[in-house]
Amino acid sequence: MDARFVQAHKEARWSVALAVAYLAAWALSAWLAGNEIGFTGLPRWFELSCLFVPLLFIFLCWLMVRVVFRDISLEDHRGN
């Protein structure tokens, strides 16, 4: 298989895995955190699921782009 497709599949797998992990973290923090007031004055479930989990996953997306993604040419150089 062409190396471009191998890299594209790797990037797609990482992206889907990160999206699934985000949904799981969001759901768990929303349902399991409780209704106590957090340190911002908002309910803890809201702080976690709408403030801290998105910030964490923005960082993880940035890290994934820096580590996993590669700049590759999309041109077909095989000649037709």
Side-chain angles (χ1 to χ4, degrees), residues 11-74:
E11 292 172 4
R13 283 191 305 271
W14 273 90
S15 298
V16 168
L18 194 63
V20 170
Y22 174 76
L23 288 174
W26 177 82
L28 287 174
S29 66
W31 288 323
L32 299 178
N35 286 330
E36 296 82 20
I37 299 298
F39 71 91
T40 62
L42 299 168
R44 186 176 301 141
W45 65 266
F46 184 83
E47 284 181 345
L48 290 176
S49 64
C50 295
L51 298 177
F52 299 125
V53 169
L55 289 175
L56 171 67
F57 276 88
I58 287 171
F59 172 74
L60 291 177
C61 286
W62 173 82
L63 188 63
M64 179 181 67
V65 168
R66 300 280 296 167
V67 173
V68 176
F69 283 38
R70 298 288 174 242
D71 188 18
I72 59 175
S73 174
L74 299 178

Side-chain angles (χ1 to χ4, degrees), residues 2 4-5 73-80:
D2 191 350
R4 297 175 298 160
F5 296 118
S73 174
L74 299 178
E75 298 293 324
D76 187 11
H77 297 290
R78 291 182 291 170
N80 292 347

